[in-house]
Amino acid sequence: MKALCWHGKGDIRCDTVDDPTIEDDRDIIIKVTSCAICGSDLHLMNGYMPTMESGDVLGHESMGEVVEVGKGHSKFKVGDRVVVPFNLACGECYFCRKKLFSLCDRSNRNAKKAIEVMGHSPSGLLGYSHMLGGYAGGQAEFLRVPYADFGPIKVPDGMDDDQVLFLSDIFPTGWMAAENAEIEDGDTVAIWGCGPVGQFAIQSAWMMGAGRVIAIDKVPERLEMARTHGRAETLDFSDVKIYDALMEMTGGRGPDRCIDCVGTESDAGASADAMLDKAKAALHIGTDRPHVLREAIFSCRKGGTISVPGVYIGMLDHIPFGAAMNKGLTLKMGQTHTHRYLEPLLQKVVDGDIDPSFVITHRASLEDGPDLYKSFRDKEDGCIKVVMKP
Ligand SMILES: NC(=O)c1ccc[n+]([C@@H]2O[C@H](COP(=O)([O-])OP(=O)(O)OC[C@H]3O[C@@H](n4cnc5c(N)ncnc54)[C@H](O)[C@@H]3O)[C@@H](O)[C@H]2O)c1
Ligand SMILES: [Zn+2]
Ligand SMILES: [Zn+2]
């Protein structure tokens, strides 16, 4: 089959690889009908995530039609259309029973590697490094879905792929980001990053009662989407000093809730801390570029909440923890517990409360994938979200 494969920093190719096969009774194989490129995939492309190997199949936002089921599998049958959550969860362990699905204790078959780095292992992820399970991803014609009797959700008849594909990741991620921000009615919510995750965090913040949403980025079409579709006030970080602007907009108090939808690769032009991060990353003596996290902690009002859906990877330097402590901030974060949100957010789509397809700017084939990875990374050609139809 054809699949998008990682071959090193900046090198993604559309290769021919072996078709997946059933490896466990609980598995299903799907014929992928739609898959998307995520901001998290850029961390792989840009070489920030360790334990990638040449030839690894990428992709963790996929849906499709069931073509084969494992012997012991009874939930789906051949022909069902399903959306697949990006994290793998067994549904039975201590963490799954607590609904902390992205922390499933069983699904990372390479947990030892993760434990060495993090003390404990999060769940396995599709298409996201050997440290997180070494599972082939779904930017491919076919995908093996482990723990498929627990993870995927069946698509109701009459709904098209574009309406439901983002249940796999970015809609639940934006939603959990807003939930973690502990928004109270009328709160001012500042959201860094107007990529796909930021756009869904904006939508979710309104649905949870925000009184004001301030969205921050520098990419014109992303800011425009935040203004028009997201009804947010916007700030261009290449234009204004974000802390000063936020203080001015909130009478000096600061936003009540701050959401970092940027993560490890924040861009911050010529600010001193960002230049230092970039230099350290280039010399492999720094793992992350956490400018946005610093800015959010600095800007957040006293007693406010910082929610971090943006992915961080290693040892972050110069985090103003003293400010966070003395200002009494709450910090909440994590990979999304996607399984928790599948049913309720599908219901919102069915009810017409939201049509997640608003974020799609590019539709293509798998063969176009390597070029579109570049457009998405470089924010060229108005690219905000790429959906591929293998
Ligand atoms: N927690 C989860 O489970 C989960 C799931 C999906 C994605 N993510 C993470 O969420 C983050 C965003 O994903 P995405 O798909 O929207 O990615 P993206 O790369 O498309 O968007 C990131 C945006 O941040 C903007 N940005 C960069 N520096 C900034 C700064 N200093 N201030 C404000 N904005 C800045 C960029 O211009 C870009 O528009 C990534 O880190 C991704 O890995 C996490
Ligand atoms: Zn993702
Ligand atoms: Zn589990």
Side-chain angles (χ1 to χ4, degrees):
M1 65 166 183
K2 292 211 176 69
L4 297 187
C5 298
W6 186 93
H7 285 279
K9 193 173 166 184
D11 185 359
I12 286 160
R13 303 179 203 162
C14 184
D15 289 341
T16 300
V17 302
D18 290 341
D19 287 359
T21 52
I22 297 279
E23 291 176 28
D24 182 276
D25 277 0
R26 299 177 69 177
D27 289 357
I28 58 173
I29 307 270
I30 64 167
K31 181 180 187 312
V32 177
T33 53
S34 294
C35 56
I37 307 177
C38 178
S40 300
D41 293 323
L42 296 180
H43 308 322
L44 306 178
M45 183 188 198
N46 297 336
Y48 275 81
M49 185 74 195
T51 72
M52 289 296 290
E53 291 173 17
S54 186
D56 284 348
V57 178
L58 296 166
H60 59 266
E61 298 184 359
S62 300
M63 63 177 294
E65 192 183 308
V66 178
V67 291
E68 205 182 332
V69 302
K71 266 205 306 282
H73 182 99
S74 56
K75 184 173 173 192
F76 297 114
K77 55 183 192 318
V78 170
D80 284 345
R81 281 172 73 220
V82 298
V83 180
V84 181
F86 74 97
N87 20 39
L88 301 171
C90 75
E92 293 160 348
C93 71
Y94 174 86
F95 295 93
C96 285
R97 286 200 310 271
K98 286 184 168 299
K99 298 193 184 338
L100 299 168
F101 301 114
S102 71
L103 305 175
C104 172
D105 233 0
R106 292 193 191 149
S107 59
N108 182 3
R109 55 190 176 183
N110 295 333
K112 224 171 136 247
K113 282 189 190 166
I115 290 169
E116 278 166 22
V117 179
M118 295 185 247
H120 297 91
S121 173
S123 75
L125 300 185
L126 288 169
Y128 215 77
S129 84
H130 289 266
M131 187 170 78
L132 297 177
Y135 293 100
Q139 287 163 3
E141 288 180 286
F142 295 93
L143 170 68
R144 172 175 90 95
V145 185
Y147 304 104
D149 53 356
F150 184 66
I153 189 172
K154 191 171 164 180
V155 180
D157 290 340
M159 305 204 76
D160 60 37
D161 282 21
D162 291 354
Q163 289 175 287
V164 293
L165 172 62
F166 302 137
L167 291 170
S168 59
D169 180 349
I170 54 173
F171 183 17
T173 294
W175 184 267
M176 187 168 114
E179 205 171 71
N180 274 347
E182 308 180 313
I183 298 166
E184 291 173 8
D185 269 355
D187 273 351
T188 296
V189 182
I191 297 178
W192 278 255
C194 299
V197 169
Q199 300 293 340
F200 281 102
I202 294 170
Q203 297 292 327
S204 304
W206 287 125
M207 290 194 257
M208 288 178 201
R212 243 178 127 180
V213 176
I214 304 171
I216 304 158
D217 207 302
K218 73 167 184 186
V219 181
E221 61 275 12
R222 293 177 179 221
L223 288 168
E224 172 72 13
M225 185 180 271
R227 271 193 301 274
T228 53
H229 202 89
R231 295 175 289 122
E233 298 163 69
T234 56
L235 291 173
D236 180 341
F237 70 82
S238 66
D239 206 33
V240 294
K241 213 165 167 278
I242 294 303
Y243 170 82
D244 294 347
L246 287 173
M247 291 315 116
E248 202 181 304
M249 292 168 86
T250 57
R253 187 186 284 173
D256 303 293
R257 317 289 163 192
C258 294
I259 308 183
D260 171 358
C261 299
V262 179
T264 179
E265 294 189 69
S266 78
D267 162 13
S271 72
D273 67 314
M275 301 254 280
L276 194 61
D277 290 338
K278 244 186 174 154
K280 284 189 190 160
L283 294 169
H284 302 289
I285 52 171
T287 53
D288 297 74
R289 288 162 23 203
H291 173 82
V292 163
L293 184 56
R294 295 181 191 120
E295 200 163 70
I297 291 174
F298 211 66
S299 305
C300 191
R301 80 139 155 86
K302 293 183 281 183
T305 310
I306 310 270
S307 160
V308 187
V311 165
Y312 288 95
I313 292 168
M315 302 290 184
L316 280 60
D317 291 339
H318 299 288
I319 297 302
F321 209 80
M325 189 277 164
N326 286 290
K327 284 165 61 171
L329 303 184
T330 299
L331 271 80
K332 291 184 113 179
M333 61 198 93
Q335 297 280 0
T336 306
H337 303 303
T338 317
H339 300 59
R340 252 196 228 172
Y341 304 101
L342 291 172
E343 290 284 354
L345 295 186
L346 172 65
Q347 197 54 49
K348 289 199 180 299
V349 181
V350 170
D351 293 346
D353 295 341
I354 181 168
D355 177 359
S357 66
F358 76 89
V359 81
I360 304 172
T361 52
H362 288 62
R363 289 187 176 77
S365 65
L366 270 184
E367 288 83 350
D368 296 326
D371 284 339
L372 283 161
Y373 257 91
K374 290 187 187 128
S375 305
F376 180 53
R377 177 193 64 193
D378 301 336
K379 283 120 191 128
E380 282 169 350
D381 190 29
C383 188
I384 299 178
K385 189 73 180 177
V386 177
V387 173
M388 294 170 292
K389 310 258 179 199

